[in-house]
Amino acid sequence: MLRVAVLGAGRIGKIHAANVAMNRNAKLVAVADPFGDAASSLADLLSCEASQDPIPLIERDDVDAVVIGTPTDTHVSLMLHAVRLGKAVLCEKPIDLDIAKADAALHEIERLNGRVMLAFNRRFDPSAQQLRQTIDAGTIGEVRQVIITSRDPGLPSREYLKHSGGIFRDMVIHDFDMARWLLGEEPTEVMATASRLVDPALTEVDDFDTVMVQMRTASGRQCHINCCREAVYGYDQRFEIFGSAGMLQNENLRPTTVRRWTRHETEAGEPLLNFFLERYADAYRYELDAFIAAVQAGSPMPVTPFDGRQALRLADCALESALSGRSVRV
Amino acid sequence: MLRVAVLGAGRIGKIHAANVAMNRNAKLVAVADPFGDAASSLADLLSCEASQDPIPLIERDDVDAVVIGTPTDTHVSLMLHAVRLGKAVLCEKPIDLDIAKADAALHEIERLNGRVMLAFNRRFDPSAQQLRQTIDAGTIGEVRQVIITSRDPGLPSREYLKHSGGIFRDMVIHDFDMARWLLGEEPTEVMATASRLVDPALTEVDDFDTVMVQMRTASGRQCHINCCREAVYGYDQRFEIFGSAGMLQNENLRPTTVRRWTRHETEAGEPLLNFFLERYADAYRYELDAFIAAVQAGSPMPVTPFDGRQALRLADCALESALSGRSVRV
Amino acid sequence: MLRVAVLGAGRIGKIHAANVAMNRNAKLVAVADPFGDAASSLADLLSCEASQDPIPLIERDDVDAVVIGTPTDTHVSLMLHAVRLGKAVLCEKPIDLDIAKADAALHEIERLNGRVMLAFNRRFDPSAQQLRQTIDAGTIGEVRQVIITSRDPGLPSREYLKHSGGIFRDMVIHDFDMARWLLGEEPTEVMATASRLVDPALTEVDDFDTVMVQMRTASGRQCHINCCREAVYGYDQRFEIFGSAGMLQNENLRPTTVRRWTRHETEAGEPLLNFFLERYADAYRYELDAFIAAVQAGSPMPVTPFDGRQALRLADCALESALSGRSVRV
Amino acid sequence: MLRVAVLGAGRIGKIHAANVAMNRNAKLVAVADPFGDAASSLADLLSCEASQDPIPLIERDDVDAVVIGTPTDTHVSLMLHAVRLGKAVLCEKPIDLDIAKADAALHEIERLNGRVMLAFNRRFDPSAQQLRQTIDAGTIGEVRQVIITSRDPGLPSREYLKHSGGIFRDMVIHDFDMARWLLGEEPTEVMATASRLVDPALTEVDDFDTVMVQMRTASGRQCHINCCREAVYGYDQRFEIFGSAGMLQNENLRPTTVRRWTRHETEAGEPLLNFFLERYADAYRYELDAFIAAVQAGSPMPVTPFDGRQALRLADCALESALSGRSVRV
């Protein structure tokens, strides 16, 4: 039974804490959050202890592992504190918005043989797993092109955007990780273009809302990513993998499979699932299962800090390319 | 907090017990099963008490409600025992294979103002709920025809079939309930035809494996049901509702949304979910939620013993029609 | 080059005449129609001769074959006149509304070794052909159940209905033919139910608008047909064939493959094709090709007068079943 | 009645000639082809005259319009010869592989008020028309992103590739035209990447087989194109248009709508239509109809030589970008 503390009781911390509480191989010891009674009300719900300060929780003897869902700028220090105490860590992305700090953290984790998993939850979506397994089974031969569509249902608040690190580091970073994972090779060259088509006033926060990225690997495999902060029809998350012997696609998820035919519409489906907490509810659960299983088995982490670092590097390259109008070597 | 005992620790009892254990408004007090250590191993898993005898569990003061998942021939006596003690009951279908016994039980429940819900789980499938709500919203106008497709992945064992009551009472009974629920009117006339196309030797157990049923209501609404005990491509569960202003359909569920295109196949999807425990996992959970909510609110049971009785009556009519080659008035 | 006369310049005659004119192995010699200038204006369009009287056209030495698209009550006399003169005939369904007259015609055609093809055009739809070929290839093993959905976009005029012979003989007759063709065996028992849900005043013309038919063959294969004179979402024509090794379905056709996602609808497709002339445009063309090819090769007719007779017999049985509430042996 | 000569009796010339022959507002006067008996056998089939030399056909008084389907390097001279004689021209793409020659031809056509239509047939595909009309109707608001998938079923011969002008000018040129047409704005910046993943030996002909292109317009609209010379599952032609109020997609066409479910595959469809002659058969017909209608009405040509020039320019920019690894301003 792995004894787990969850740091952060916000949107994402709540998900992780509930998944720990439901996992048969784990015990939720405590949750921490500095803001108001976030920690205590979550602790009440899930029957565990609460704390405003995460540090004592990391240091408790009866805590084997910590899940970090705190603000980005606290990730590195909390992670390293836990690693130094020999605790396993599941850390939300990104490691840090600054790649130099991320690299330094990676170096330290490696030096200490730290057990850290990066929380790229989308890899654990059942459809994503099926895509990867079907590629591995050779069904579509050698991968040639990966096409990723990733559109959010609506623009976040200005406040959120101000501290987000920008669309490439905040939103597309998930797609960069999926691109690497599905391509099976490291991208070596990045070309990006970025526009403000949802809200021209995003100049205020020096950000974009609609982007396209094109990448290639050393062997010539290609990847396209398109992202937009607003899709009025809902959260749109699709992958296409084209290979020498076939093609794979996944479709969006819906709450039910009901379709309507009326005088005004034909074969209309139900709306898509609202946003990532709903769309990737299963993925968050399987991610936690994978973390706990890896810690207990002492096997390699399914997603490593290096994966987090690489996705961040691709985001930086994409931003540079979008600003300079040139392709950037990774 | 509703205190619940689950009677029966077989395939279906396990599902109900786990759902009680996960429900935030309920407490799983104990499980009962006469066979070997079925009860104790389930109790270990879910941290509750175990018993070989269901009777003492029903009688415990700290048990407010019982879920009956025992063999069919025990349903009536357990249900009535609980009702007499003022306990709420969620009982698996059918009430009994004999409609006279079912009618007598109904009469007794009514006399005692018993709180009994029949476990027609398919009504609680999210797609089924969406169908019913869309009909209620008037989207497709007046219902004219309901078409139900219901095919199991494979023939059960001879042993199972021998005690099943026959395909109409054992398998099609779910579809009769869905037919009533989706038609919004009682069928008044039943025409059925039955064949042995999977296994001609089913004559041994006096049963059929492939059937069609056609029904109509007093106002002329029509319903078709087709069933087969074996579909090699998997568990096939579909509904179509055709109305004066449109049509609704649901599709089968799959583990993921991945589709494949290769030299040999085009847009091939993943296999269907295996069988009812997987296909209707959500439905079982929502069914239990609905039961607990109704008990706690003192509101009408979402599915009544009368619903169970009517489905059984339609099954009897269908068998009579299949054997006589005549339409039967309900 | 087969020299063809088309009798009847109405809706269906125009289709046949245009298809003859476009067929590279046929020559359209003349068209006949007693009403106004229907024949002459069609003849102008297609550069052939016109006549008000069909008889002289049948008798012309430079006419090898006739296509009969005249009112139903003229079918038998025109067909037999052509057969007696050794002309090949493609005759619209039904042979006659009266099965005794149809049987007498069949007898005479057989006696004379007449070359007559019945125009059950739906068999020649590319999707229908693909269904039949896939069954023949053994892909789905032995056929167990056939489900046919057949809904017209709207109720015809009272005038039309008055002379139509009723929904079973006029509309469902196509589905009876498809049922026989897809089942691969003759139905031996028919159960039908019929309602007036579109227009209760159809009692005036002694007809129904919404029906279901259930049939079985000697070996126990089963077939369900559902029909309605009005589907607000468009002309709905679907087949499902369920077999021991799999299942086949076809979908409705649409003018394009475009799908829409907006704030108000998700994955909504384009409307269905309007009605049979559009939906089965290809089928009519391939039907004529098959007729001409069979005549020129001296090979068996792809659809025989017996097929027309059997479909009519099933329609009569269905009506009898709907009126009596009993199953009828064919 | 427009009197038309078709120049070139190869694969594409045959299509155009047959479409002229079937068009009710046009008369096919003659076809020309220098190779063997290509012209005469096509003329026999379609009942028109034949010539080995295209020049005399252009000059005939009873020829109002010419369709040019000859090798690319003859396009400009034949087109200008016809224009100088006041004949209307439908010319296959590209105008020329050399943009300077194309520009010179454009200049001359403009000076002479020539009536020339460029044969970008894909715009006339019913699904493409529906996409454009739905955008025009405002259904999806302002276009933000266009995603184009364009994969051929197999690599052409080395001989073909040697004279093709390369994948961007030969294959992607169609997609560049569709991109401009669907974006509703001119691309101003092009980023491309190109690989040899189908056949590494394409270095021999200095060409690529797998490419991605990313473009943006002045207002920030974005377009992605992915192309490959080989898709083992068939000819893959899809468009997605993402806008401020919704999204549109089209799907590939298949010969029928039949789908299969077996033990080994679920909901598998029929293969895609083989290649462009089959996939775009309707588009070629509607293209010719549009040409004839525009000539007869004296209305603007639906696709202009400038459209041909712009697509060629984008192809040149893409090649330059792929070779230099930099984005190129149009």
Side-chain angles (χ1 to χ4, degrees), chain B residues 232-233 254 261-263 265-271, chain D residues 232-233 254 261-263 265-271:
Chain B
V232 298
Y233 57 89
R254 297 161 193 220
W261 284 254
T262 68
R263 200 183 293 274
E265 57 192 354
T266 301
E267 199 170 359
E270 276 212 275
Chain D
V232 298
Y233 57 88
R254 297 164 193 216
W261 283 255
T262 69
R263 201 183 292 273
E265 58 192 353
T266 303
E267 203 170 356
E270 274 214 274

PDB file of all heavy atoms in Angstrom, chain B residues 232-233 254 261-263 265-271, chain D residues 232-233 254 261-263 265-271:
ATOM      1  N   VAL B 232     -21.100 -13.285 -33.449  1.00  0.00           N
ATOM      2  CA  VAL B 232     -19.638 -13.499 -33.391  1.00  0.00           C
ATOM      3  C   VAL B 232     -18.868 -12.197 -33.283  1.00  0.00           C
ATOM      4  O   VAL B 232     -17.734 -12.171 -32.815  1.00  0.00           O
ATOM      5  CB  VAL B 232     -19.124 -14.281 -34.623  1.00  0.00           C
ATOM      6  CG1 VAL B 232     -19.746 -15.658 -34.683  1.00  0.00           C
ATOM      7  CG2 VAL B 232     -19.366 -13.504 -35.899  1.00  0.00           C
ATOM      8  N   TYR B 233     -19.485 -11.088 -33.711  1.00  0.00           N
ATOM      9  CA  TYR B 233     -18.766  -9.806 -33.672  1.00  0.00           C
ATOM     10  C   TYR B 233     -18.931  -9.115 -32.320  1.00  0.00           C
ATOM     11  O   TYR B 233     -18.380  -8.040 -32.103  1.00  0.00           O
ATOM     12  CB  TYR B 233     -19.243  -8.889 -34.800  1.00  0.00           C
ATOM     13  CG  TYR B 233     -20.731  -8.634 -34.774  1.00  0.00           C
ATOM     14  CD1 TYR B 233     -21.256  -7.582 -34.052  1.00  0.00           C
ATOM     15  CD2 TYR B 233     -21.606  -9.469 -35.457  1.00  0.00           C
ATOM     16  CE1 TYR B 233     -22.623  -7.360 -34.002  1.00  0.00           C
ATOM     17  CE2 TYR B 233     -22.979  -9.262 -35.408  1.00  0.00           C
ATOM     18  CZ  TYR B 233     -23.471  -8.204 -34.681  1.00  0.00           C
ATOM     19  OH  TYR B 233     -24.822  -7.979 -34.635  1.00  0.00           O
ATOM     20  N   ARG B 254     -17.676   0.971 -27.505  1.00  0.00           N
ATOM     21  CA  ARG B 254     -16.386   0.317 -27.714  1.00  0.00           C
ATOM     22  C   ARG B 254     -15.388   0.823 -26.681  1.00  0.00           C
ATOM     23  O   ARG B 254     -15.554   1.912 -26.151  1.00  0.00           O
ATOM     24  CB  ARG B 254     -15.838   0.681 -29.095  1.00  0.00           C
ATOM     25  CG  ARG B 254     -16.728   0.183 -30.174  1.00  0.00           C
ATOM     26  CD  ARG B 254     -16.446   0.910 -31.453  1.00  0.00           C
ATOM     27  NE  ARG B 254     -17.535   0.620 -32.360  1.00  0.00           N
ATOM     28  CZ  ARG B 254     -17.399   0.390 -33.643  1.00  0.00           C
ATOM     29  NH1 ARG B 254     -16.212   0.473 -34.184  1.00  0.00           N
ATOM     30  NH2 ARG B 254     -18.427   0.113 -34.375  1.00  0.00           N
ATOM     31  N   TRP B 261      -7.277   1.985 -40.928  1.00  0.00           N
ATOM     32  CA  TRP B 261      -7.351   1.854 -42.379  1.00  0.00           C
ATOM     33  C   TRP B 261      -6.084   1.130 -42.833  1.00  0.00           C
ATOM     34  O   TRP B 261      -4.984   1.647 -42.609  1.00  0.00           O
ATOM     35  CB  TRP B 261      -7.348   3.222 -43.059  1.00  0.00           C
ATOM     36  CG  TRP B 261      -8.591   4.003 -43.026  1.00  0.00           C
ATOM     37  CD1 TRP B 261      -9.461   4.208 -44.058  1.00  0.00           C
ATOM     38  CD2 TRP B 261      -9.126   4.768 -41.927  1.00  0.00           C
ATOM     39  NE1 TRP B 261     -10.485   5.035 -43.647  1.00  0.00           N
ATOM     40  CE2 TRP B 261     -10.305   5.382 -42.366  1.00  0.00           C
ATOM     41  CE3 TRP B 261      -8.716   4.973 -40.607  1.00  0.00           C
ATOM     42  CZ2 TRP B 261     -11.078   6.203 -41.533  1.00  0.00           C
ATOM     43  CZ3 TRP B 261      -9.482   5.777 -39.783  1.00  0.00           C
ATOM     44  CH2 TRP B 261     -10.641   6.373 -40.249  1.00  0.00           C
ATOM     45  N   THR B 262      -6.246  -0.036 -43.416  1.00  0.00           N
ATOM     46  CA  THR B 262      -5.062  -0.723 -43.929  1.00  0.00           C
ATOM     47  C   THR B 262      -5.353  -1.210 -45.346  1.00  0.00           C
ATOM     48  O   THR B 262      -6.425  -0.949 -45.899  1.00  0.00           O
ATOM     49  CB  THR B 262      -4.677  -1.936 -43.058  1.00  0.00           C
ATOM     50  OG1 THR B 262      -5.697  -2.935 -43.213  1.00  0.00           O
ATOM     51  CG2 THR B 262      -4.562  -1.559 -41.584  1.00  0.00           C
ATOM     52  N   ARG B 263      -4.380  -1.915 -45.894  1.00  0.00           N
ATOM     53  CA  ARG B 263      -4.574  -2.475 -47.227  1.00  0.00           C
ATOM     54  C   ARG B 263      -5.785  -3.402 -47.246  1.00  0.00           C
ATOM     55  O   ARG B 263      -6.434  -3.566 -48.282  1.00  0.00           O
ATOM     56  CB  ARG B 263      -3.301  -3.248 -47.603  1.00  0.00           C
ATOM     57  CG  ARG B 263      -3.087  -3.500 -49.074  1.00  0.00           C
ATOM     58  CD  ARG B 263      -1.824  -4.327 -49.276  1.00  0.00           C
ATOM     59  NE  ARG B 263      -0.597  -3.620 -48.927  1.00  0.00           N
ATOM     60  CZ  ARG B 263       0.062  -2.822 -49.766  1.00  0.00           C
ATOM     61  NH1 ARG B 263      -0.389  -2.628 -50.991  1.00  0.00           N
ATOM     62  NH2 ARG B 263       1.173  -2.218 -49.381  1.00  0.00           N
ATOM     63  N   GLU B 265      -8.492  -3.482 -44.825  1.00  0.00           N
ATOM     64  CA  GLU B 265      -9.762  -3.063 -44.248  1.00  0.00           C
ATOM     65  C   GLU B 265      -9.826  -1.543 -44.221  1.00  0.00           C
ATOM     66  O   GLU B 265      -8.808  -0.865 -44.193  1.00  0.00           O
ATOM     67  CB  GLU B 265      -9.943  -3.625 -42.836  1.00  0.00           C
ATOM     68  CG  GLU B 265      -8.839  -3.246 -41.881  1.00  0.00           C
ATOM     69  CD  GLU B 265      -8.878  -4.049 -40.586  1.00  0.00           C
ATOM     70  OE1 GLU B 265      -9.816  -4.813 -40.368  1.00  0.00           O
ATOM     71  OE2 GLU B 265      -7.931  -3.892 -39.796  1.00  0.00           O
ATOM     72  N   THR B 266     -11.031  -1.017 -44.239  1.00  0.00           N
ATOM     73  CA  THR B 266     -11.211   0.417 -44.322  1.00  0.00           C
ATOM     74  C   THR B 266     -12.089   0.888 -43.186  1.00  0.00           C
ATOM     75  O   THR B 266     -13.204   0.408 -43.041  1.00  0.00           O
ATOM     76  CB  THR B 266     -11.867   0.779 -45.671  1.00  0.00           C
ATOM     77  OG1 THR B 266     -11.014   0.321 -46.707  1.00  0.00           O
ATOM     78  CG2 THR B 266     -12.033   2.274 -45.799  1.00  0.00           C
ATOM     79  N   GLU B 267     -11.589   1.798 -42.425  1.00  0.00           N
ATOM     80  CA  GLU B 267     -12.332   2.381 -41.320  1.00  0.00           C
ATOM     81  C   GLU B 267     -12.918   1.301 -40.415  1.00  0.00           C
ATOM     82  O   GLU B 267     -14.087   1.338 -40.067  1.00  0.00           O
ATOM     83  CB  GLU B 267     -13.454   3.286 -41.851  1.00  0.00           C
ATOM     84  CG  GLU B 267     -13.899   4.229 -40.767  1.00  0.00           C
ATOM     85  CD  GLU B 267     -14.822   5.325 -41.269  1.00  0.00           C
ATOM     86  OE1 GLU B 267     -15.117   5.393 -42.458  1.00  0.00           O
ATOM     87  OE2 GLU B 267     -15.230   6.135 -40.435  1.00  0.00           O
ATOM     88  N   ALA B 268     -12.062   0.372 -40.035  1.00  0.00           N
ATOM     89  CA  ALA B 268     -12.523  -0.678 -39.131  1.00  0.00           C
ATOM     90  C   ALA B 268     -12.386  -0.200 -37.704  1.00  0.00           C
ATOM     91  O   ALA B 268     -11.365   0.360 -37.320  1.00  0.00           O
ATOM     92  CB  ALA B 268     -11.705  -1.943 -39.349  1.00  0.00           C
ATOM     93  N   GLY B 269     -13.420  -0.413 -36.915  1.00  0.00           N
ATOM     94  CA  GLY B 269     -13.392   0.033 -35.534  1.00  0.00           C
ATOM     95  C   GLY B 269     -12.893  -1.054 -34.606  1.00  0.00           C
ATOM     96  O   GLY B 269     -12.621  -2.187 -35.014  1.00  0.00           O
ATOM     97  N   GLU B 270     -12.803  -0.706 -33.357  1.00  0.00           N
ATOM     98  CA  GLU B 270     -12.393  -1.669 -32.342  1.00  0.00           C
ATOM     99  C   GLU B 270     -13.556  -2.599 -32.025  1.00  0.00           C
ATOM    100  O   GLU B 270     -14.715  -2.274 -32.267  1.00  0.00           O
ATOM    101  CB  GLU B 270     -12.023  -0.915 -31.079  1.00  0.00           C
ATOM    102  CG  GLU B 270     -10.612  -0.427 -31.116  1.00  0.00           C
ATOM    103  CD  GLU B 270     -10.097  -0.444 -29.707  1.00  0.00           C
ATOM    104  OE1 GLU B 270     -10.335   0.548 -29.011  1.00  0.00           O
ATOM    105  OE2 GLU B 270      -9.497  -1.446 -29.306  1.00  0.00           O
ATOM    106  N   PRO B 271     -13.252  -3.752 -31.436  1.00  0.00           N
ATOM    107  CA  PRO B 271     -14.328  -4.674 -31.057  1.00  0.00           C
ATOM    108  C   PRO B 271     -15.291  -4.007 -30.077  1.00  0.00           C
ATOM    109  O   PRO B 271     -14.940  -3.052 -29.388  1.00  0.00           O
ATOM    110  CB  PRO B 271     -13.579  -5.810 -30.356  1.00  0.00           C
ATOM    111  CG  PRO B 271     -12.176  -5.697 -30.805  1.00  0.00           C
ATOM    112  CD  PRO B 271     -11.935  -4.245 -31.096  1.00  0.00           C
TER     113      PRO B 271
ATOM    114  N   VAL D 232      -1.494   3.034 -48.644  1.00  0.00           N
ATOM    115  CA  VAL D 232      -1.862   1.656 -49.016  1.00  0.00           C
ATOM    116  C   VAL D 232      -3.362   1.414 -48.916  1.00  0.00           C
ATOM    117  O   VAL D 232      -3.900   0.511 -49.547  1.00  0.00           O
ATOM    118  CB  VAL D 232      -1.136   0.605 -48.141  1.00  0.00           C
ATOM    119  CG1 VAL D 232       0.365   0.697 -48.332  1.00  0.00           C
ATOM    120  CG2 VAL D 232      -1.521   0.767 -46.678  1.00  0.00           C
ATOM    121  N   TYR D 233      -4.051   2.220 -48.110  1.00  0.00           N
ATOM    122  CA  TYR D 233      -5.495   2.013 -47.937  1.00  0.00           C
ATOM    123  C   TYR D 233      -6.307   2.734 -49.000  1.00  0.00           C
ATOM    124  O   TYR D 233      -7.540   2.653 -49.003  1.00  0.00           O
ATOM    125  CB  TYR D 233      -5.923   2.465 -46.534  1.00  0.00           C
ATOM    126  CG  TYR D 233      -5.594   3.900 -46.233  1.00  0.00           C
ATOM    127  CD1 TYR D 233      -6.482   4.917 -46.550  1.00  0.00           C
ATOM    128  CD2 TYR D 233      -4.380   4.249 -45.657  1.00  0.00           C
ATOM    129  CE1 TYR D 233      -6.171   6.237 -46.292  1.00  0.00           C
ATOM    130  CE2 TYR D 233      -4.057   5.569 -45.398  1.00  0.00           C
ATOM    131  CZ  TYR D 233      -4.960   6.559 -45.714  1.00  0.00           C
ATOM    132  OH  TYR D 233      -4.645   7.872 -45.477  1.00  0.00           O
ATOM    133  N   ARG D 254     -16.780   6.180 -51.195  1.00  0.00           N
ATOM    134  CA  ARG D 254     -16.642   4.741 -51.394  1.00  0.00           C
ATOM    135  C   ARG D 254     -17.671   4.285 -52.417  1.00  0.00           C
ATOM    136  O   ARG D 254     -18.689   4.936 -52.589  1.00  0.00           O
ATOM    137  CB  ARG D 254     -16.927   4.004 -50.086  1.00  0.00           C
ATOM    138  CG  ARG D 254     -15.943   4.372 -49.037  1.00  0.00           C
ATOM    139  CD  ARG D 254     -16.452   3.969 -47.682  1.00  0.00           C
ATOM    140  NE  ARG D 254     -15.616   4.625 -46.704  1.00  0.00           N
ATOM    141  CZ  ARG D 254     -15.253   4.104 -45.553  1.00  0.00           C
ATOM    142  NH1 ARG D 254     -15.716   2.926 -45.208  1.00  0.00           N
ATOM    143  NH2 ARG D 254     -14.477   4.739 -44.726  1.00  0.00           N
ATOM    144  N   TRP D 261     -19.322  -6.428 -40.034  1.00  0.00           N
ATOM    145  CA  TRP D 261     -18.903  -6.768 -38.679  1.00  0.00           C
ATOM    146  C   TRP D 261     -18.640  -8.270 -38.663  1.00  0.00           C
ATOM    147  O   TRP D 261     -19.565  -9.054 -38.925  1.00  0.00           O
ATOM    148  CB  TRP D 261     -20.018  -6.507 -37.687  1.00  0.00           C
ATOM    149  CG  TRP D 261     -20.280  -5.105 -37.291  1.00  0.00           C
ATOM    150  CD1 TRP D 261     -19.952  -4.512 -36.110  1.00  0.00           C
ATOM    151  CD2 TRP D 261     -20.971  -4.100 -38.040  1.00  0.00           C
ATOM    152  NE1 TRP D 261     -20.376  -3.209 -36.097  1.00  0.00           N
ATOM    153  CE2 TRP D 261     -21.000  -2.936 -37.256  1.00  0.00           C
ATOM    154  CE3 TRP D 261     -21.538  -4.063 -39.327  1.00  0.00           C
ATOM    155  CZ2 TRP D 261     -21.587  -1.751 -37.688  1.00  0.00           C
ATOM    156  CZ3 TRP D 261     -22.122  -2.887 -39.766  1.00  0.00           C
ATOM    157  CH2 TRP D 261     -22.137  -1.747 -38.941  1.00  0.00           C
ATOM    158  N   THR D 262     -17.427  -8.669 -38.376  1.00  0.00           N
ATOM    159  CA  THR D 262     -17.148 -10.104 -38.278  1.00  0.00           C
ATOM    160  C   THR D 262     -16.347 -10.343 -37.008  1.00  0.00           C
ATOM    161  O   THR D 262     -16.085  -9.432 -36.235  1.00  0.00           O
ATOM    162  CB  THR D 262     -16.348 -10.617 -39.492  1.00  0.00           C
ATOM    163  OG1 THR D 262     -15.031 -10.059 -39.423  1.00  0.00           O
ATOM    164  CG2 THR D 262     -16.998 -10.206 -40.802  1.00  0.00           C
ATOM    165  N   ARG D 263     -15.967 -11.592 -36.840  1.00  0.00           N
ATOM    166  CA  ARG D 263     -15.166 -11.934 -35.671  1.00  0.00           C
ATOM    167  C   ARG D 263     -13.858 -11.134 -35.665  1.00  0.00           C
ATOM    168  O   ARG D 263     -13.285 -10.869 -34.623  1.00  0.00           O
ATOM    169  CB  ARG D 263     -14.863 -13.439 -35.732  1.00  0.00           C
ATOM    170  CG  ARG D 263     -14.498 -14.081 -34.422  1.00  0.00           C
ATOM    171  CD  ARG D 263     -14.163 -15.556 -34.646  1.00  0.00           C
ATOM    172  NE  ARG D 263     -15.329 -16.350 -35.037  1.00  0.00           N
ATOM    173  CZ  ARG D 263     -16.174 -16.924 -34.162  1.00  0.00           C
ATOM    174  NH1 ARG D 263     -15.968 -16.767 -32.874  1.00  0.00           N
ATOM    175  NH2 ARG D 263     -17.200 -17.641 -34.573  1.00  0.00           N
ATOM    176  N   GLU D 265     -13.206  -8.077 -37.513  1.00  0.00           N
ATOM    177  CA  GLU D 265     -13.220  -6.641 -37.751  1.00  0.00           C
ATOM    178  C   GLU D 265     -14.592  -6.096 -37.388  1.00  0.00           C
ATOM    179  O   GLU D 265     -15.588  -6.794 -37.417  1.00  0.00           O
ATOM    180  CB  GLU D 265     -12.873  -6.315 -39.203  1.00  0.00           C
ATOM    181  CG  GLU D 265     -13.794  -6.968 -40.203  1.00  0.00           C
ATOM    182  CD  GLU D 265     -13.284  -6.882 -41.633  1.00  0.00           C
ATOM    183  OE1 GLU D 265     -12.282  -6.202 -41.886  1.00  0.00           O
ATOM    184  OE2 GLU D 265     -13.910  -7.506 -42.501  1.00  0.00           O
ATOM    185  N   THR D 266     -14.639  -4.818 -37.044  1.00  0.00           N
ATOM    186  CA  THR D 266     -15.880  -4.218 -36.586  1.00  0.00           C
ATOM    187  C   THR D 266     -16.171  -2.977 -37.394  1.00  0.00           C
ATOM    188  O   THR D 266     -15.328  -2.074 -37.473  1.00  0.00           O
ATOM    189  CB  THR D 266     -15.764  -3.844 -35.095  1.00  0.00           C
ATOM    190  OG1 THR D 266     -15.432  -5.006 -34.361  1.00  0.00           O
ATOM    191  CG2 THR D 266     -17.069  -3.279 -34.579  1.00  0.00           C
ATOM    192  N   GLU D 267     -17.316  -2.939 -37.985  1.00  0.00           N
ATOM    193  CA  GLU D 267     -17.741  -1.758 -38.738  1.00  0.00           C
ATOM    194  C   GLU D 267     -16.731  -1.394 -39.814  1.00  0.00           C
ATOM    195  O   GLU D 267     -16.380  -0.213 -39.970  1.00  0.00           O
ATOM    196  CB  GLU D 267     -17.954  -0.580 -37.778  1.00  0.00           C
ATOM    197  CG  GLU D 267     -18.883   0.430 -38.391  1.00  0.00           C
ATOM    198  CD  GLU D 267     -19.325   1.484 -37.409  1.00  0.00           C
ATOM    199  OE1 GLU D 267     -18.977   1.411 -36.233  1.00  0.00           O
ATOM    200  OE2 GLU D 267     -20.050   2.388 -37.845  1.00  0.00           O
ATOM    201  N   ALA D 268     -16.252  -2.391 -40.531  1.00  0.00           N
ATOM    202  CA  ALA D 268     -15.287  -2.133 -41.587  1.00  0.00           C
ATOM    203  C   ALA D 268     -16.024  -1.713 -42.854  1.00  0.00           C
ATOM    204  O   ALA D 268     -17.015  -2.320 -43.243  1.00  0.00           O
ATOM    205  CB  ALA D 268     -14.456  -3.382 -41.862  1.00  0.00           C
ATOM    206  N   GLY D 269     -15.558  -0.675 -43.499  1.00  0.00           N
ATOM    207  CA  GLY D 269     -16.200  -0.176 -44.692  1.00  0.00           C
ATOM    208  C   GLY D 269     -15.571  -0.740 -45.942  1.00  0.00           C
ATOM    209  O   GLY D 269     -14.601  -1.491 -45.913  1.00  0.00           O
ATOM    210  N   GLU D 270     -16.135  -0.356 -47.045  1.00  0.00           N
ATOM    211  CA  GLU D 270     -15.575  -0.759 -48.328  1.00  0.00           C
ATOM    212  C   GLU D 270     -14.349   0.080 -48.645  1.00  0.00           C
ATOM    213  O   GLU D 270     -14.184   1.180 -48.128  1.00  0.00           O
ATOM    214  CB  GLU D 270     -16.619  -0.521 -49.402  1.00  0.00           C
ATOM    215  CG  GLU D 270     -17.553  -1.666 -49.541  1.00  0.00           C
ATOM    216  CD  GLU D 270     -17.943  -1.773 -50.988  1.00  0.00           C
ATOM    217  OE1 GLU D 270     -18.887  -1.080 -51.366  1.00  0.00           O
ATOM    218  OE2 GLU D 270     -17.288  -2.512 -51.730  1.00  0.00           O
ATOM    219  N   PRO D 271     -13.498  -0.410 -49.532  1.00  0.00           N
ATOM    220  CA  PRO D 271     -12.316   0.365 -49.922  1.00  0.00           C
ATOM    221  C   PRO D 271     -12.718   1.717 -50.508  1.00  0.00           C
ATOM    222  O   PRO D 271     -13.838   1.897 -50.987  1.00  0.00           O
ATOM    223  CB  PRO D 271     -11.665  -0.500 -51.003  1.00  0.00           C
ATOM    224  CG  PRO D 271     -12.223  -1.859 -50.829  1.00  0.00           C
ATOM    225  CD  PRO D 271     -13.592  -1.683 -50.232  1.00  0.00           C
TER     226      PRO D 271
END
